[in-house]
Amino acid sequence: MMAAELIKKCSNITLGEEQELCDIEHALKALRKKILTLDFGNSMRVHDPQNSFDYLEVLYKIRELSQRLGSLDPSAKAKEHNELTVYAADLFEMAMTRLEEEFVYLLTHYKQPLEQELLSFRSTEDGSLDDLSSSSFNEEQSEVKTTQNDNTGGPEYFVTDLIQPGALSALKSIANFMFLSEYDKECSQAFINTRQGAIDEYIGSLRIDKLSIEELQSIDWTKLSSLIKRWNRAMKAFVRVYLASERRLSHHVFGELSQSTADLCFYEISFSPVMQLLTFYESVAIGPLKPEKLFRLLDMYEVLNELLPEVEFLFHEGCDDMILTEYHEVLLQLGESARKTFMEFKYAIQSYTSSNAVARGEVHPLTKYVMNYIKALTIYSKTLDSLLKDTDRGYQHLSVDNQSVANSYPHFTVTALHLLSVTAILEENFEAGSRLYRDDRLRNIFMMNNIYYMVQKVKNSELKSFLGDDWIRAHNRKFRQQATSYERASWSHVLSYLSDDGLCAAGDDASRKVIKEKFKNFNLSFEEVYRIQTAWSVPDDQLRDDVRISISLKVIQAYRTFMGRHCRRLDGTRHRERYIKYRPEDLEKLLLDLFEGAQKSL
């Protein structure tokens, strides 16, 4: 009896398992049909992320059926059980392949453009330094207006969703299922490949070309300078908008599953474009040292240095530190190149020579270039303080006056001391150039013009806060000394004819003859000075007026006094107008023609 019941019971179990095998088989086949009706390869068929959740339900059912199948005793229907197990495994693999396709589709179809966020970084190009960034010492410089680069206002974050919000939840659910099903590598690689394509598109939208170091080295500097401004803006947008958003997307999809996977995906996606951008910076840094490159080098250095904390945050948990190592290396290269370029600038001033004197005694083009150059450098003072702090502080070129200023103000920054050094080198240079003039008077005009130009540049710019009031006072004395020396050399001889030396008592014929000679020689001497010095030039309106007024006060007063005393003694003299050719008012008017740079004769 017991044996019969046991046989009956086992028979019932076998029948139950057979039925369950049959049910599982029918269910799997039904699910397969459903999968085949969802054509994920045709992008026109799938537009709603909700479909992904419906499909995930199918996958969960396949996995559940596979687990039920694994719990059955295969001994009774071993062949059927094995066949169904293989069928279920193949079906699951096919379903996972299609799930990966859906994952890629969502990443591709539901990505969002960043145009609006990117536009917030597209400020007007800073063209304030174009003249200095594209010219050399030998080229005439116009006045240059400088503005502070917008690098000091703190970081701006524009983290945004790179995928439409409606698809983010589906992506996260798909990633979760693939990881639980041990398809984590396939999921991660699909994410990396798809997002790498997206990041390449974004790089293309920034209008920056992929150029090799060799190609960048051969580009004309004017064009490269423009490229640098574009790449600086692109770098800011790339780090603060795109990379920040890309990292958030990686962590949104994978962060709850595996922080290391999220970081690794972000690192793999970012590696190539970051290196591409850094290659551009490196190629500029290792290029030839030219003074006109300094401003762009400093711009590039400041951009990378400003972004450094953000880059360190973004990649602090990468698979290795290759990006950060390269970033730090390029930053160091830019800083070293900027430092060497500044020192090369100083050397170029010192070694600059000219075989010809500047026409009409005007301001030397080198003076204009250098003063505009260091005026523009003041906005980079903090950066220069950092880059120049380990170099010689510039004392070797300081004149006595500048040395006393440096000693009196030990709190002067490194940049200030180097700028003092530059002005001292410049003075030495144009003083050497002044020796090309054969006429000492024109030499005085040249020196006066150049020193005055320096003073005005310092007084009316940020240079004043670097060089100080003592420097201004010292150089005011210098240009006034040159003006005094000019007046003495030019007009002492002319005024000597208006003295009373050699005159006797009134009515004496000999005295009348001396007076005639004095007027005649004064006229000749004045006319000679007039002929020569109307061709000379004092470009600054205020300085020109000041010099004329000073001359006029001396000449007109002396002439008026001499005329008042002696002109009557020539009354009745034949051809009196030959001797007294000018009234004081005439001379005063003629003096206004001096230093206009256009020669005139009387």
Side-chain angles (χ1 to χ4, degrees):
M1 184 66 183
M2 290 181 60
E5 290 179 356
L6 182 61
I7 291 172
K8 183 178 180 181
K9 186 176 181 180
C10 288
S11 177
N12 290 337
I13 292 174
T14 302
L15 290 174
E17 290 188 349
E18 287 180 5
Q19 182 61 43
E20 189 159 5
L21 276 175
C22 185
D23 292 343
I24 291 173
E25 180 179 3
H26 284 301
L28 288 173
K29 288 182 177 180
L31 291 172
R32 185 175 187 278
K33 288 181 180 179
K34 190 168 185 179
I35 291 172
L36 292 175
T37 60
L38 299 174
D39 185 7
F40 290 109
N42 182 358
S43 61
M44 298 299 293
R45 292 288 304 275
V46 182
H47 296 282
D48 188 349
Q50 183 59 41
N51 291 351
S52 301
F53 292 104
D54 296 339
Y55 186 63
L56 280 172
E57 287 185 16
V58 173
L59 284 163
Y60 275 110
K61 289 179 180 178
I62 294 175
R63 190 170 66 177
E64 180 184 350
L65 290 171
S66 297
Q67 291 172 348
R68 283 174 57 192
L69 183 61
S71 66
L72 296 178
D73 182 8
S75 59
K77 292 281 188 176
K79 181 180 179 182
E80 290 82 351
H81 186 280
N82 289 337
E83 289 177 353
L84 192 56
T85 300
V86 171
Y87 180 84
D90 290 343
L91 180 60
F92 189 76
E93 184 174 350
M94 178 188 73
M96 290 302 294
T97 299
R98 294 198 169 211
L99 183 64
E100 182 179 330
E101 292 174 0
E102 170 67 356
F103 186 69
V104 170
Y105 173 80
L106 292 175
L107 287 170
T108 304
H109 185 76
Y110 290 98
K111 66 184 178 183
Q112 294 195 125
L114 284 174
E115 187 63 21
Q116 183 176 357
E117 286 74 18
L118 176 59
L119 286 174
S120 65
F121 281 93
R122 287 182 179 170
S123 57
T124 55
E125 294 188 2
D126 177 18
S128 60
L129 303 178
D130 281 350
D131 290 341
L132 294 170
S133 296
S134 60
S135 56
S136 63
F137 286 168
N138 295 314
E139 297 174 333
E140 186 71 22
Q141 292 301 309
S142 58
E143 297 301 302
V144 178
K145 294 182 179 179
T146 60
T147 55
Q148 173 68 55
N149 290 336
D150 187 19
N151 288 343
T152 58
E156 298 177 76
Y157 294 98
F158 287 86
V159 181
T160 186
D161 289 327
L162 299 179
I163 301 295
Q164 293 178 29
L168 285 173
S169 180
L171 284 168
K172 188 174 180 180
S173 296
I174 291 175
N176 182 63
F177 186 86
M178 293 185 75
F179 268 63
L180 292 176
S181 303
E182 298 183 353
Y183 279 75
D184 50 312
K185 291 183 180 178
E186 290 82 354
C187 182
S188 300
Q189 195 58 52
F191 183 83
I192 290 170
N193 293 342
T194 307
R195 292 309 303 166
Q196 282 177 336
I199 207 169
D200 286 341
E201 288 182 15
Y202 178 75
I203 291 291
S205 73
L206 295 176
R207 300 184 298 118
I208 51 177
D209 302 322
K210 291 184 178 180
L211 300 171
S212 67
I213 292 180
E214 292 75 18
E215 289 173 322
L216 288 168
Q217 292 292 332
S218 64
I219 291 178
D220 172 73
W221 171 247
T222 301
K223 181 179 180 182
L224 184 58
S225 178
S226 179
L227 282 176
I228 289 170
K229 291 189 289 184
R230 187 185 304 168
W231 279 68
N232 281 341
R233 292 194 306 275
M235 191 69 173
K236 286 186 175 183
F238 183 67
V239 171
R240 289 178 171 169
V241 179
Y242 199 92
L243 287 185
S245 300
E246 190 70 55
R247 184 177 185 275
R248 187 171 80 167
L249 176 60
S250 295
H251 280 263
H252 181 91
V253 175
F254 300 111
E256 293 182 8
L257 298 169
S258 169
Q259 286 288 334
S260 61
T261 299
D263 288 326
L264 178 60
C265 287
F266 171 66
Y267 187 92
E268 292 292 332
I269 292 164
S270 308
F271 182 83
S272 180
V274 170
M275 289 302 183
Q276 175 191 339
L277 287 166
L278 290 178
T279 296
F280 176 84
Y281 284 79
E282 182 182 17
S283 67
V284 177
I286 64 177
L289 304 177
K290 296 180 180 180
E292 60 268 24
K293 288 179 60 176
L294 181 57
F295 299 98
R296 293 290 172 253
L297 286 170
L298 290 171
D299 286 340
M300 297 173 82
Y301 179 88
E302 288 189 346
V303 166
L304 290 194
N305 194 52
E306 178 187 354
L307 294 174
L308 179 59
E310 292 150 83
V311 172
E312 289 179 333
F313 171 76
L314 289 170
F315 296 104
H316 72 287
E317 292 181 353
C319 63
D320 60 40
D321 59 354
M322 189 170 179
I323 288 180
L324 284 180
T325 299
E326 181 67 13
Y327 194 97
H328 282 282
E329 180 63 28
V330 172
L331 188 60
L332 287 173
Q333 286 180 321
L334 283 170
E336 181 65 10
S337 182
R339 187 189 68 80
K340 289 181 177 179
T341 301
F342 179 77
M343 303 310 291
E344 178 66 21
F345 164 66
K346 294 175 70 173
Y347 176 75
I349 303 169
Q350 187 178 44
S351 59
Y352 179 88
T353 58
S354 177
S355 58
N356 299 311
V358 177
R360 301 179 295 277
E362 294 179 341
V363 179
H364 200 292
L366 179 66
T367 304
K368 294 180 180 179
Y369 183 94
V370 171
M371 294 309 294
N372 281 318
Y373 194 100
I374 64 174
K375 173 186 172 184
L377 280 180
T378 58
I379 64 175
Y380 299 98
S381 60
K382 291 182 180 179
T383 299
L384 287 172
D385 283 342
S386 173
L387 296 178
L388 299 175
K389 64 182 179 182
D390 294 326
T391 64
D392 170 63
R393 290 171 68 84
Y395 287 107
Q396 71 271 27
H397 294 299
L398 297 184
S399 66
V400 174
D401 287 340
N402 284 336
Q403 182 70 68
S404 67
V405 171
N407 291 337
S408 300
Y409 295 91
H411 61 279
F412 266 26
T413 64
V414 175
T415 299
L417 291 175
H418 274 282
L419 295 183
L420 281 171
S421 175
V422 169
T423 60
I425 298 170
L426 176 61
E427 287 181 65
E428 290 174 3
N429 188 287
F430 66 66
E431 186 171 357
S434 72
R435 300 188 188 104
L436 295 171
Y437 293 101
R438 295 180 179 179
D439 190 327
D440 287 343
R441 299 171 299 175
L442 184 53
R443 179 177 182 273
N444 294 139
I445 291 295
F446 172 76
M447 290 293 293
M448 178 190 70
N449 278 333
N450 280 269
I451 297 172
Y452 184 83
Y453 183 89
M454 293 176 70
V455 170
Q456 293 306 111
K457 277 293 174 184
V458 174
K459 284 174 63 176
N460 299 319
S461 72
E462 283 299 310
L463 283 170
K464 181 178 181 180
S465 63
F466 288 85
L467 302 185
D469 292 332
D470 285 355
W471 186 96
I472 294 173
R473 282 191 288 269
H475 286 76
N476 276 335
R477 287 195 298 271
K478 285 185 177 182
F479 87 76
R480 286 171 184 152
Q481 287 168 359
Q482 294 294 336
T484 300
S485 296
Y486 152 76
E487 286 186 14
R488 187 179 297 116
S490 292
W491 297 100
S492 293
H493 181 64
V494 177
L495 294 176
S496 68
Y497 297 114
L498 300 180
S499 69
D500 290 338
D501 296 344
L503 295 178
C504 302
D508 186 272
D509 289 339
S511 294
R512 186 178 294 109
K513 183 177 181 180
V514 172
I515 292 171
K516 287 181 181 180
E517 286 299 314
K518 282 183 175 288
F519 272 111
K520 178 183 177 181
N521 288 331
F522 171 83
N523 293 337
L524 290 173
S525 181
F526 180 88
E527 289 166 1
E528 178 67 8
V529 171
Y530 180 88
R531 181 185 66 81
I532 294 172
Q533 297 191 15
T534 51
W536 296 354
S537 176
V538 178
D540 186 87
D541 295 340
Q542 185 61 53
L543 179 60
R544 186 170 61 248
D545 288 343
D546 290 344
V547 175
R548 286 171 177 170
I549 290 170
S550 180
I551 296 169
S552 183
L553 287 173
K554 295 177 177 65
V555 173
I556 303 304
Q557 181 178 351
Y559 188 75
R560 183 176 281 116
T561 299
F562 189 79
M563 277 191 65
R565 290 177 178 175
H566 306 295
C567 68
R568 291 182 180 178
R569 298 176 70 176
L570 298 184
D571 289 347
T573 301
R574 188 180 180 186
H575 302 305
R576 181 177 182 272
E577 69 279 1
R578 292 181 180 177
Y579 305 105
I580 307 178
K581 292 177 64 174
Y582 305 105
R583 297 171 302 165
E585 297 80 21
D586 297 329
L587 295 178
E588 192 170 8
K589 185 176 180 180
L590 289 171
L591 288 174
L592 295 177
D593 293 333
L594 297 181
F595 315 123
E596 290 288 349
Q599 191 171 61
K600 295 181 179 181
S601 298
L602 295 171

